[in-house]
């Protein structure tokens, strides 16, 4: 006559009563069919194949930045010169106006602009 | 942290490069196990198949990002399986059926068959009543023979926490099942064939 088993053995015997139905034969085929339509995702670029910029490329990148800054400064300088050149025109006009006053021809131009008829009828 | 060599290291390269033969081999090795774990947690074989399908497709999809040597792929798959089962269990009441396969044996008496079915059902209900993580620890350790170390990784807990889950699960089951005079009776626990011969 056997002795009573320990509680652990008794529990194991009870746990062994649980059976699981086998997997369906079609499940593997279903997974494979679904996998054909499921693209693999790669979100991490492995370090071994990640392209590293070679030394000469880094030089070129640095040089490019400096060149861009120079061009920008040059462009700003040109723009400033053009702007100054354009604002100088009114000053030259002022010089001509002053010259016309000195020569007394400013009245003639005033006639042209219609300021006075007396100037026109100089023949009376 | 380096782990022991992955027994599936030979097929990981194929998985990472999208070789379907590698996926077939992976399923040949582990589909039954993954399904079994899910079925024990969910109590539903059909639902467990859905979980298994989802786990293998996720493995296939994420394979290019796998870092060899960091973990065993089976451990990772079982972790995904348990987490998916936990999510399902949180969302719904599991459907437990009397899904005990009937074994044809003409020598067994009708009474014995009835007792076995009733026992299996009672044990099933007792396991169902366990908290999810205790149920998972019991399933992995007892039914799948997973080591304490691997089990802790799968459930993402410390080894001492995993051991605690196991101890509490077994203690609860003993309190529920062995306190029942029917299950505690020696006649149930010893071979009934011997009893029948004596009679």
């Amino acid at each position: 006559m056997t002795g009573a088993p320990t509680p652990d053995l008794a529990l194991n015997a009870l746990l062994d009563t649980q059976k699981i139905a086998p997997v369906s034969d079609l499940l593997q085929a279903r997974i494979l069919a679904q996998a054909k339509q499921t693209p693999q995702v790669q979100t991490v670029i492995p370090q071994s194949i990640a392209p590293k910029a070679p030394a000469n490329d880094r030089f070129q990148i640095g040089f490019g930045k400096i060149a861009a800054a120079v061009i920008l400064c040059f462009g700003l300088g040109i723009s400033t010169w053009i702007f100054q050149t354009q604002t100088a025109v009114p000053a030259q006009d002022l010089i001509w106006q002053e010259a016309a006053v000195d020569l007394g021809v400013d009245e003639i131009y005033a006639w042209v602009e219609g300021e006075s008829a007396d100037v026109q009828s100089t023949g009376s | 942290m380096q782990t022991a060599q992955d027994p599936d290291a030979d097929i990981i390269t194929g998985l990472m490069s999208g070789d379907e033969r590698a996926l077939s081999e992976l399923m040949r090795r582990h589909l039954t196990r993954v399904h079994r774990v899910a079925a024990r947690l969910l109590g539903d074989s059909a639902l467990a198949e859905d979980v298994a399908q989802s786990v293998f497709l996720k493995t296939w999809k994420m394979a290019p990002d796998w870092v060899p040597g960091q973990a065993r792929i089976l451990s990772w798959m079982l972790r995904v399986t348990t987490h998916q089962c936990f999510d399902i269990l949180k969302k719904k009441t599991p459907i437990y059926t009397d899904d005990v396969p009937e074994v044809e044996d003409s020598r067994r008496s009708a009474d014995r068959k009835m007792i076995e079915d009733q026992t299996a059902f009672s044990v099933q209900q007792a396991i169902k009543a366990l908290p999810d993580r205790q149920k998972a620890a019991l399933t992995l350790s007892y039914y799948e023979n997973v080591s304490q170390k691997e089990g802790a990784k799968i459930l993402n807990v410390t080894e001492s926490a995993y051991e605690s889950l196991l101890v509490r699960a077994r203690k609860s089951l003993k309190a529920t099942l062995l306190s029942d005079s029917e299950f505690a009776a020696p006649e149930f626990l010893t071979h009934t064939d011997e009893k029948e011969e004596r009679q």
Side-chain angles (χ1 to χ4, degrees):
Chain A
M1 189 173 177
T2 59
T6 63
D8 276 329
L9 287 177
L11 178 59
N12 290 349
L14 291 172
L15 292 175
D16 290 340
T17 61
Q18 300 301 289
K19 308 296 179 191
I20 299 295
V23 178
S24 162
D25 294 336
L26 298 173
L27 180 58
Q28 192 162 344
R30 283 208 312 264
I31 294 171
L32 278 173
Q34 195 76 13
K36 286 186 198 311
Q37 300 171 19
T38 303
Q40 291 185 306
V41 175
Q42 184 160 27
T43 56
V44 176
I45 299 174
Q47 285 299 311
S48 60
I49 64 173
K52 286 184 182 176
N56 57 344
D57 283 352
R58 289 196 291 272
F59 173 76
Q60 285 176 4
I61 290 169
F63 181 76
K65 289 180 182 175
I66 295 170
V70 168
I71 290 170
L72 185 64
C73 291
F74 187 69
L76 284 173
I78 290 286
S79 299
T80 304
W81 180 78
I82 290 171
F83 180 72
Q84 286 177 345
T85 304
Q86 286 175 348
T87 54
V89 172
Q92 287 182 352
D93 276 342
L94 185 60
I95 292 172
W96 284 111
Q97 285 173 9
E98 289 175 352
V101 168
D102 290 340
L103 294 173
V105 297
D106 58 321
E107 291 177 352
I108 294 175
Y109 284 103
W111 170 77
V112 169
E113 292 174 356
E115 282 188 347
S116 172
D118 293 339
V119 176
Q120 191 172 10
S121 59
T122 54
S124 59
Chain B
M1 181 178 162
Q2 290 293 327
T3 61
Q5 171 121 15
D6 188 347
D8 298 312
D10 58 323
I11 58 174
I12 285 177
T13 306
L15 284 172
M16 292 172 75
S17 61
D19 187 351
E20 290 173 9
R21 291 172 298 177
L23 179 60
S24 292
E25 178 60 19
L26 187 70
M27 285 194 284
R28 189 190 68 78
R29 295 180 188 183
H30 302 310
L31 180 57
T32 300
R33 191 169 192 185
V34 168
H35 170 262
R36 203 164 54 214
V37 169
R40 290 194 187 280
L41 290 176
L42 299 173
D44 185 334
S45 183
L47 193 53
E49 287 194 1
D50 292 341
V51 170
Q53 179 171 336
S54 173
V55 168
F56 276 90
L57 285 174
K58 189 170 186 177
T59 305
W60 169 254
K61 191 176 176 182
M62 307 296 290
D65 283 344
W66 184 259
V67 179
Q70 296 258 336
R72 293 182 180 184
I73 197 163
L74 175 61
S75 299
W76 182 84
M77 290 170 65
L78 289 177
R79 179 191 280 200
V80 175
T81 303
T82 52
H83 285 185
Q84 284 197 13
C85 291
F86 289 163
D87 289 342
I88 292 171
L89 289 168
K90 276 178 195 166
K91 287 176 187 172
K92 60 175 266 187
T93 304
I95 301 169
Y96 274 79
T97 64
D98 297 331
D99 193 14
V100 179
E102 299 198 5
V103 177
E104 294 293 330
D105 188 343
S106 57
R107 294 174 297 172
R108 291 189 177 181
S109 65
D111 289 341
R112 181 176 175 178
K113 179 74 169 62
M114 190 178 70
I115 290 171
E116 285 177 357
D117 289 347
Q118 191 179 353
T119 303
F121 181 74
S122 298
V123 174
Q124 187 186 64
Q125 294 303 301
I127 293 174
K128 173 189 172 182
L130 289 175
D132 293 342
R133 297 173 84 80
Q134 288 183 24
K135 197 183 332 179
L138 181 77
T139 298
L140 291 170
S141 278
Y142 185 79
Y143 290 111
E144 300 302 325
N145 295 314
V146 170
S147 69
Q148 198 158 312
K149 187 178 177 183
E150 282 299 313
K153 285 182 187 175
I154 290 168
L155 293 185
N156 199 25
V157 296
T158 61
E159 286 187 44
S160 59
Y162 183 80
E163 187 181 358
S164 175
L165 287 171
L166 267 177
V167 166
R168 282 187 278 151
R170 290 184 69 90
K171 191 176 175 183
S172 295
L173 290 174
K174 283 178 201 173
T176 303
L177 296 170
L178 298 184
S179 62
D180 190 329
S181 57
E182 180 182 354
F183 297 141
E187 289 81 5
F188 170 75
L189 296 169
T190 56
H191 288 293
T192 54
D193 286 340
E194 292 173 1
K195 185 170 184 289
E196 286 171 2
E197 284 174 6
R198 270 185 262 120
Q199 288 177 348

